[in-house]
Amino acid sequence: MMASQQPGGPMSQPGLQQSQQQQQQQLSQQQDFDPVHRFKMLIPQLKESLQNVMKIASLNLAHNTAIDNGIKSSDASVQRFDKSLEEFYALCDQLELCLRLAYECLSQSIDSAKHSPNLVPTATKPDTVQTESMSYAQYLGMIKSQISCAKDIHNALLECSKKIAGKGQPQGLM
């Protein structure tokens, strides 16, 4: 009985393995959505694809040179250069999308930090209270100022659209 209650005993092994598997699954799911991680995963594939493109180009060039010199006939099969080049370009496109997504995530993070720099402690997570968090009253004040700013922008856009449409009356004439 004492052996099964020890931390390394047989009773704790299945629970430990399940929690490790769950953590690995969560980590892999997070990495699937992380554009930087995806970029890092695609780089070796891109290198391999580039090597393949160069190898096929070299073989095709050697084959065409042999045909031009009359050494070989054109009956021999050669790998298609266009397919390997298309694979390379597809990987380049994926890398470009990953970089654009990473840039957008960074921009949103910077904007979020600029417009709402402090966290508000919640009742459900009291252990995550940080020293730079704001009080609820401060948070309400910030939200009210954001709403006021949004209303001002909305009104300015409405006024401009009325002026453009010719429906607005000049304020100086009465």
Side-chain angles (χ1 to χ4, degrees):
M1 269 179 117
M2 293 293 270
S4 65
Q5 292 176 356
Q6 291 179 354
M11 293 298 280
S12 65
Q13 289 292 336
L16 180 64
Q17 288 175 352
Q18 285 178 346
S19 67
Q20 287 176 345
Q21 288 175 350
Q22 288 174 350
Q23 288 175 352
Q24 288 175 350
Q25 286 176 347
Q26 288 174 351
L27 182 63
S28 69
Q29 287 174 353
Q30 288 173 351
Q31 290 174 346
D32 287 343
F33 296 117
D34 183 16
V36 175
H37 178 73
R38 180 146 171 77
F39 179 83
K40 289 178 182 178
M41 297 290 287
L42 287 173
I43 289 295
Q45 293 177 15
L46 182 71
K47 287 180 181 178
E48 183 181 321
S49 179
L50 180 60
Q51 289 173 350
N52 190 34
V53 166
M54 293 299 167
K55 181 180 118 188
I56 291 172
S58 170
L59 292 173
N60 285 349
L61 183 63
H63 179 75
N64 289 340
T65 303
I67 291 173
D68 289 344
N69 291 335
I71 299 171
K72 286 186 179 178
S73 65
S74 62
D75 294 339
S77 66
V78 286
Q79 291 179 317
R80 295 202 40 187
F81 177 73
D82 57 341
K83 293 212 183 240
S84 62
L85 190 61
E86 186 64 35
E87 177 187 332
F88 176 76
Y89 281 140
L91 284 169
C92 287
D93 290 343
Q94 288 180 24
L95 288 170
E96 181 184 6
L97 288 174
C98 287
L99 290 175
R100 286 185 185 199
L101 181 59
Y103 178 76
E104 285 297 318
C105 289
L106 178 65
S107 296
Q108 286 183 359
S109 176
I110 289 170
D111 288 343
S112 176
K114 183 170 70 172
H115 297 295
S116 181
N118 298 323
L119 301 174
V120 177
T122 60
T124 58
K125 298 179 182 176
D127 57 333
T128 60
V129 175
Q130 298 177 353
T131 57
E132 69 268 0
S133 64
M134 62 174 65
S135 70
Y136 188 69
Q138 291 172 326
Y139 177 74
L140 283 178
M142 182 184 68
I143 295 300
K144 286 179 183 178
S145 70
Q146 288 177 348
I147 290 172
S148 172
C149 182
K151 284 181 182 178
D152 291 344
I153 292 171
H154 180 263
N155 291 337
L157 289 172
L158 281 177
E159 186 178 321
C160 287
S161 68
K162 286 179 183 177
K163 286 181 181 178
I164 290 172
K167 295 180 182 177
Q169 297 177 355
Q171 294 178 355
L173 301 174
M174 283 231 175

